[in-house]
Structure formats: C-alpha cells, structure tokens
Amino acid sequence: MSGARLLARLDDLAQVGPIEGGGSCRLALTDADRDGRDLVITWMRDLGLEVVIDSVGNVVGTWNVGSGSAVMTGSHIDTVRTGGRYDGNLGVLAGIEVIETLMQAGLTPPRPLAVAFFTNEEGARFQPDMLGSLVFVGGMTVEEALDARAIDGPRLGDELRRIGYAGAHPCPSPSPHAFVELHIEQGPRLETDDIRFGSVTGVQGISWQEVTITGQSNHAGTTPMSLRHDPALVSARIVVFLRDLASRYGGDQVCTVGKIDLVPNLVNVVPRSATLTLDVRNTDESILRRAEAEIATFLDQVAGDEGVTIETRRLARFEPVEFDGRVVDLIEDAISHRGHSNMRLPSGAGHDAQMLARVCPTAMIFTQSHLGISHNPAEFTDPDDLVEGTDILLEVMWRLAHTDFDAAPGGNS
Ligand code: GLV
Ligand code: MN
Ligand code: MN
C-alpha cells in the first residue's frame, strides 16, 4: 500500500474545480466533473484496467483476473457546490490503490476486482441523488435518467453528451459478486467515541421535495401587513415547523431546508413566489412517513392561513436500506484483525452502496470525519485514517473475493 500515492491522488483530484478553503466544486456533468473523470480514468488506464462507460456515464475500471463476477468497490467524484476533498473521492481512489497494491505485490484474487464511480451521486445538480447507481442496478430507466433536468436548466442526457460521457454500455449492468464502499462518516459519531473505523449497517431513508409557494407581489412600503400574501413568510414558517418537528420526534430525525429562492428577490418588493427544498430523513420508514404526512398537513394549513397556494414536487424518495449482515460482519472482522475497535452504525448520508445493496451483498466502511463536518471545504480526515481505511478496504475486498455467497442478499444481523 502506498499511502503517499493515495494522498497525492486525493490532492490532485481536489485541484480539479478548486474552491476557497481547499475543497472542490465538481457539480455533476459540468466541465469540472469532466476534468475529474478524465483524470481518474487516466489512473485506471495506467494500471491496465478495462474501462467501461455506460449510458448514464457511470465508469467502471476492471482488473480482469480469475473468473466469475467482480468484487466491486467505488463511490462518486461529483461534489456539492461546497465540496470537501474526501466525500466520494476517497472511495474511488482507495479502490484504485487497492488494485495497484495487489498488482505490485503479485497477489492475484480468484475473481475480477472493479472500481467504479457513479454519475450524480450528490443530487445537487440533478435529482434524484445516487442517480447513476440507481440506473446501474435497474431502479430507474436510462430514458428517465437522461430526461432529468439540472437546476440550471439542461437535460442530463445533453450534458452527458456535451462532456463526452454518454457511454455505449447498457444499463442495468450485470450484478457484481459483492460491493463495498469506503467513505468518510460525514458525521461526529466515530470521533466522539474515539473509534477510528466503523462498519456501516445501512442507510437512513431520504425524502426530498421541492415546495413552490405563490402569493402576491406588492409594494413593501405601502402594503398593510394585514393585506399580504407573502411567500417569504410562509417559507420561514415551514423552516421553523421542520425544526420543531425534528425536536418533537427526537432520535434520528433530521430536517433541512437547504435552498430558498424568492422571486423577484428585491429589497422593496413583497415576493411573488418562493421555491424551497425539503430534505427529511429517518432510519425508520414508518416515522419518516409520519413526518411526511405531518408536513403535508402543515403545508395545507399554512396556505389557508396566509392566502397563498403551495405546490409540491417529489425530487427523491428512498426507503431506509439495511446492508448485508455477512458483509457487515466481514468488515467488522477486518477492522479488528487490523487491531482497531469498531463501531456499527447507520449512515446519515446517502451512498451509491445503498443502490448496489439491491443486487449483491453490500456494506460500507467509515473513517472518522473531524468535527463531523462535510459538504464543506473544511471536511477533514486524518491522513493516517485515509491510508489505514484503504488497507481495511483491501483486506475486505480480498476476503470478499474468496467468499461464496448464497443467491439472495442476507439481512443485517
Ligand atoms: C449525499 O451526500 C446526501 O446524503 O445528500
Ligand atoms: Mn458521498
Ligand atoms: Mn456528499
């Protein structure tokens, strides 16, 4: 394992679409995303991997050795607008490092090893999130995916062609033998408990909606308060309602309004409309449904109270996912075999692994995230943890290549 090589590649990739504070902005299928893709593919080709690009731009590099289906790892290299340098990138570059290390050691696994990066994992520019891996496993048609609209207008299919990543390989793809993803935790739990690595038991459910509020635009100085139908006020009430809902529910419940657009967005005009996004997550599907129902009731009520109309549009909806208990156990074992204590924990963030879990035995390895900060250039993981996490990934992939699974993915123990 060359820690220096891994860290140098992370630095090189971070410099594609650099932003202040040391992070990156590579929103999906922008020029920066294309440049990042080109760079990672260069590294794959330098290793002699067979590189395949599919019809939604997912890229898979395979070391074609042994026989049977591949043990696959990977993640994403697209970022949010304020991306850190590890979210996604670690999982992809660690996968390349694992293969390169085995090749150099002259160790050949009994089946192929593959490393993938999937299109539009973040869901920041196109929705839903995890779009590429969802199509990869047959959870969404290629046609539907190509028709997704960017927040800045273009169709996904047109952007793919424009950046040269509309590949020929069909989706869904044949199922891998198993999938494992190394990722930073992006939350505070490992660091708080002073545990370096985690075996991830699953991913919480994700509900994304866009809410459009239409009121009446009017003069800020002359319109009496009693005559207003103000979408900005309604937006504020929704934000406060979500915070109160999360406090009332407690546990894992989280709610976020990450985007609010007012029209016309001027100092002296009561806005005509507001468009905001709701991100609501819980590990328990029944609680998540209850939250969604309460939100719908509240939207009706506030629309009546303030004399505005409210329309909602579904952006993404994924039920909680439980990873395969056999892979979770195997990861836990590899972590302890390398001399570390382990925490079993669910993921708060969405990941490509949650889609691969539909078709093959799957789980994830987490490393600590300093202060739990992510989707922020300040995202930081100790370099020793990045390297050791990659060694754990190597051990897990090696063992998965030597494991025979039954046909059906197992539940989480
Ligand atoms: C992806 O990063 C998500 O969980 O929003
Ligand atoms: Mn990620
Ligand atoms: Mn992310």
Side-chain angles (χ1 to χ4, degrees):
M1 168 73 51
S2 168
R5 186 168 55 201
L6 172 74
L7 299 175
R9 283 185 180 145
L10 279 164
D11 280 348
D12 287 350
L13 186 52
Q15 263 133 51
V16 181
I19 56 174
E20 214 181 313
S24 312
C25 175
R26 289 191 305 274
L27 288 166
L29 310 188
T30 54
D31 290 357
D33 185 23
R34 176 198 56 216
D35 295 347
R37 287 163 171 265
D38 291 352
L39 180 62
V40 174
I41 286 178
T42 305
W43 291 325
M44 288 177 169
R45 292 217 163 106
D46 285 350
L47 271 186
L49 303 188
E50 182 202 343
V51 176
V52 163
I53 304 173
D54 72 25
S55 47
V56 291
N58 297 317
V59 175
V60 181
T62 303
W63 181 22
N64 264 319
V65 288
S67 60
S69 51
V71 171
M72 185 178 282
T73 189
S75 193
H76 60 99
I77 62 163
D78 70 315
T79 72
V80 296
R81 204 187 299 284
T82 52
R85 41 176 57 208
Y86 309 113
D87 176 1
N89 307 313
L90 172 63
V92 178
L93 302 185
I96 292 176
E97 184 57 41
V98 164
I99 294 176
E100 189 156 4
T101 300
L102 290 172
M103 284 177 167
Q104 288 183 345
L107 291 167
T108 306
R111 47 173 74 244
L113 299 187
V115 52
F117 58 87
F118 297 99
T119 295
N120 190 55
E121 188 273 352
E122 291 289 5
R125 187 168 181 230
F126 299 92
Q127 287 87 37
D129 48 348
M130 285 82 69
L131 176 143
S133 46
L134 183 63
V135 177
F136 189 84
V137 302
M140 183 185 203
T141 65
V142 171
E143 294 67 34
E144 203 184 339
L146 297 182
D147 270 342
R149 282 275 164 196
I151 53 172
D152 51 326
R155 251 180 98 247
L156 186 141
D158 295 335
E159 285 295 85
L160 261 184
R161 261 205 313 282
R162 186 186 69 77
I163 67 163
Y165 275 88
H169 200 75
C171 281
S173 223
S175 300
H177 174 66
F179 186 84
V180 56
E181 179 172 354
L182 172 67
H183 207 285
I184 56 168
E185 180 198 344
Q186 309 181 271
R189 292 185 53 185
L190 289 171
E191 187 177 67
T192 301
D193 285 17
D194 201 17
I195 292 178
R196 288 174 69 192
F197 302 103
S199 53
V200 184
T201 52
V203 179
Q204 66 179 343
I206 301 174
S207 169
W208 283 3
Q209 295 184 75
E210 180 183 79
V211 176
T212 302
I213 306 156
T214 308
Q216 187 174 58
S217 187
N218 212 334
H219 194 292
T222 61
T223 314
M225 299 311 286
S226 61
L227 293 185
R228 295 186 183 210
H229 304 286
D230 181 354
L233 173 78
V234 174
S235 303
R237 288 193 58 188
I238 293 170
V239 172
V240 172
F241 178 81
L242 288 180
R243 169 57 74 99
D244 288 345
L245 182 148
S247 305
R248 275 190 287 114
Y249 282 30
D252 290 328
Q253 184 61 56
V254 288
C255 300
T256 306
V257 174
K259 184 168 183 286
I260 303 183
D261 297 312
L262 299 176
V263 178
N265 207 24
L266 295 169
V267 62
N268 54 356
V269 184
V270 177
R272 177 176 74 240
S273 69
T275 304
L276 55 152
T277 54
L278 314 187
D279 175 320
V280 180
R281 308 193 195 196
N282 201 298
T283 49
D284 183 319
E285 175 65 15
S286 62
I287 301 177
L288 186 54
R289 283 194 193 163
R290 180 148 55 88
E292 290 175 315
E294 266 206 55
I295 291 165
T297 304
F298 178 74
L299 294 181
D300 281 348
Q301 180 207 315
V302 72
D305 290 352
E306 297 298 332
V308 299
T309 60
I310 298 186
E311 287 167 39
T312 60
R313 185 166 72 92
R314 172 62 65 197
L315 300 178
R317 181 64 164 89
F318 299 115
E319 292 190 4
V321 171
E322 203 181 344
F323 286 144
D324 190 303
R326 297 165 298 183
V327 186
V328 178
D329 287 347
L330 195 151
I331 289 169
E332 184 166 66
D333 205 55
I335 289 172
S336 78
H337 181 242
R338 290 194 62 83
H340 309 289
S341 45
N342 173 67
M343 182 192 288
R344 284 185 173 234
L345 74 172
S347 173
H351 295 291
D352 295 306
Q354 78 188 83
M355 299 307 165
L356 273 294
R358 297 183 183 194
V359 297
C360 65
T362 296
M364 297 180 70
I365 307 161
F366 271 175
T367 64
Q368 281 186 6
S369 287
H370 186 49
L371 302 176
I373 290 175
S374 187
H375 285 182
N376 178 333
E379 182 180 278
F380 179 76
T381 298
D382 190 309
D384 289 344
D385 289 359
L386 301 170
V387 174
E388 180 62 14
T390 304
D391 265 321
I392 294 167
L393 177 68
L394 184 151
E395 180 160 340
V396 170
M397 290 182 75
W398 183 260
R399 291 204 205 177
L400 287 171
H402 290 85
T403 303
D404 281 327
F405 292 101
D406 308 326
N412 186 349
S413 55

